[in-house]
């Protein structure tokens, strides 16, 4: 049996990947947003800067070499893809960044059913040209499978180049900001907002009941990331909306990434999700390979 066929069959039968894809959620440097602090080079290597006509509008996160995850509301219709530029490996908006690369946009896919952020589905996938090359400053974030949850009170980080308070832009060279915010359960978040907003099942909240620390305008589309028990960073949310910035009883509302696992993997074939089941072989080839599983197992054990 040809070697390449054995390798393909082994992957399909066992679910063990033999590719050398970049490991996600592992920033090499370990470790405003309102109430935040300046980040350092390489701290959040999946963060990207989305610009329209050379002006910052939103953030996003690298999920593989070709695709960025962001918010649907960052892309107003009609979409002129030629006006967008995405920067990876960037730390400062208004200064030289020795590790950055720039990329054109060739495709923008909005989650089905999106209309406005307050009605949910506030997720978009953006395809890059050329693809990024992995470096210490440019790495992907892990995305959660549909069954992965984030517990109420879990401390996570949100990052971005947005306003430092309502109507006040990030000053100076515009260094990427980071802030710690705890996850807020859906029921608790709804109780805080009361009738001002509906917290839907595809949303997740993070912040403080007393306010003071939050994402803000210009942070939209950026990642809310949490470090899991094994040390891997996983993206829990996409900055979506809030009422004001860092106000009491109005925490940040994010698109819940795990709710969009089918949409994302449908558009980005081969993407492995954190906590998700391995992709199975399907169709006639899958049936043929499954029927040969015993033979290959014997071959592999010799």
């Amino acid at each position: 049996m040809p070697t390449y066929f054995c390798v393909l069959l082994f992957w399909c039968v066992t679910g063990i990947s033999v590719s050398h894809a970049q490991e996600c959620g592992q920033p090499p440097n370990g470790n405003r947003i309102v109430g935040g602090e300046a980040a350092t080079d390489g701290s959040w290597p999946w963060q990207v800067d989305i610009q329209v006509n050379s002006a910052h509008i939103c953030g996003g996160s690298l999920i593989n070499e070709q695709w960025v995850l962001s918010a649907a509301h960052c892309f107003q219709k009609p979409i002129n893809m030629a006006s967008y530029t995405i920067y990876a490996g960037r730390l400062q908006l208004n200064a030289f960044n020795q590790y950055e690369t720039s990329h054109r946009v060739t495709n923008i896919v909005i989650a089905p059913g999106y209309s406005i952020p307050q009605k949910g589905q506030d997720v978009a996938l953006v395809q890059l040209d050329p693809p990024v090359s992995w470096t210490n400053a440019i790495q992907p974030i892990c995305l959660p499978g549909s069954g992965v949850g984030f517990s109420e009170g879990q401390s996570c980080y949100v990052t971005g180049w947005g306003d430092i308070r309502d109507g006040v832009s990030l000053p100076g060279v515009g260094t990427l900001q980071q802030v710690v915010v705890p996850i807020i359960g859906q029921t608790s978040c709804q109780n805080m907002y009361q009738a001002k907003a509906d917290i839907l099942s595809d949303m997740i909240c993070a912040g403080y009941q007393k306010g003071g620390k939050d994402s803000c305008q210009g942070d939209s589309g950026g990642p809310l990331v949490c470090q899991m028990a094994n040390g891997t960073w996983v993206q829990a949310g996409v900055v979506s909306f809030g009422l004001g910035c860092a106000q009491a009883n109005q925490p940040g509302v994010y698109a819940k990434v795990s709710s969009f696992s089918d949409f994302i993997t449908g558009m980005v074939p081969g993407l492995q999700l954190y906590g998700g089941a391995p992709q199975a072989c399907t169709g006639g080839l899958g049936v043929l390979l499954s029927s040969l599983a015993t033979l290959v197992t014997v071959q592999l054990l010799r």
Side-chain angles (χ1 to χ4, degrees), residues 12-13 24 29 68 79 96 98-99 139 156-157 176 178 184 269:
C12 289
V13 172
C24 64
N29 290 358
V68 162
I79 296 173
F96 172 73
Q98 60 178 325
Y99 304 116
Q139 307 237 343
C156 302
Y157 275 87
L176 180 68
Q178 62 187 41
I184 298 174

Side-chain angles (χ1 to χ4, degrees), residues 187-235:
T187 300
S188 299
C189 189
Q190 185 66 75
N191 289 339
M192 291 182 200
Y193 271 98
Q194 298 181 358
K196 297 175 183 177
D198 290 327
I199 307 304
L200 306 177
S201 60
D202 67 350
M203 300 173 181
I204 187 170
C205 299
Y208 299 87
Q209 185 169 11
K210 64 181 181 181
K213 297 182 179 182
D214 194 9
S215 52
C216 201
Q217 282 74 33
D219 293 320
S220 290
L224 171 71
V225 298
C226 309
Q227 192 170 31
M228 310 305 278
N230 65 356
T232 300
W233 289 90
V234 177
Q235 185 169 350

Side-chain angles (χ1 to χ4, degrees), residues 121 144-146 201-203 236 255-264:
Q121 302 297 115
S146 59
S201 60
D202 67 350
M203 300 173 181
K256 185 165 68 175
V257 177
S258 61
S259 295
F260 298 92
S261 58
D262 288 345
F263 165 68
I264 294 169

Side-chain angles (χ1 to χ4, degrees), residues 42-111:
S43 296
W44 312 107
W46 40 78
Q47 176 83 43
V48 301
D49 169 27
I50 300 177
Q51 299 207 354
V52 172
N53 298 323
S54 301
H56 168 81
I57 60 159
C58 282
S61 53
L62 289 165
I63 61 174
N64 74 359
E65 297 97 326
Q66 286 189 290
W67 290 92
V68 162
L69 177 64
S70 189
H73 77 263
C74 291
F75 305 95
Q76 301 295 325
K77 293 182 178 180
I79 296 173
N80 177 14
M81 287 189 290
S83 67
Y84 286 89
T85 304
I86 294 185
Y87 294 91
R90 169 167 279 196
L91 178 65
Q92 297 172 329
L93 285 182
N94 308 311
F96 172 73
N97 294 277
Q98 60 178 325
Y99 304 116
E100 80 171 28
T101 58
S102 64
H103 305 265
R104 297 179 299 275
V105 171
T106 60
N107 194 14
I108 298 171
V109 186
I110 306 299

Side-chain angles (χ1 to χ4, degrees), residues 274-298:
Y274 182 89
Q279 294 186 356
C281 293
T282 58
L285 178 59
V287 173
L288 173 61
L289 295 180
S290 296
S291 69
L292 295 172
T294 302
L295 173 60
V296 172
T297 300
V298 171

Side-chain angles (χ1 to χ4, degrees), residues 235-270:
Q235 185 169 350
V238 174
V239 179
S240 183
F241 75 93
L243 299 181
C245 301
Q247 301 298 310
N249 289 310
Q250 293 177 13
V253 183
Y254 302 77
K256 185 165 68 175
V257 177
S258 61
S259 295
F260 298 92
S261 58
D262 288 345
F263 165 68
I264 294 169
T265 54
M267 289 303 306
V268 188

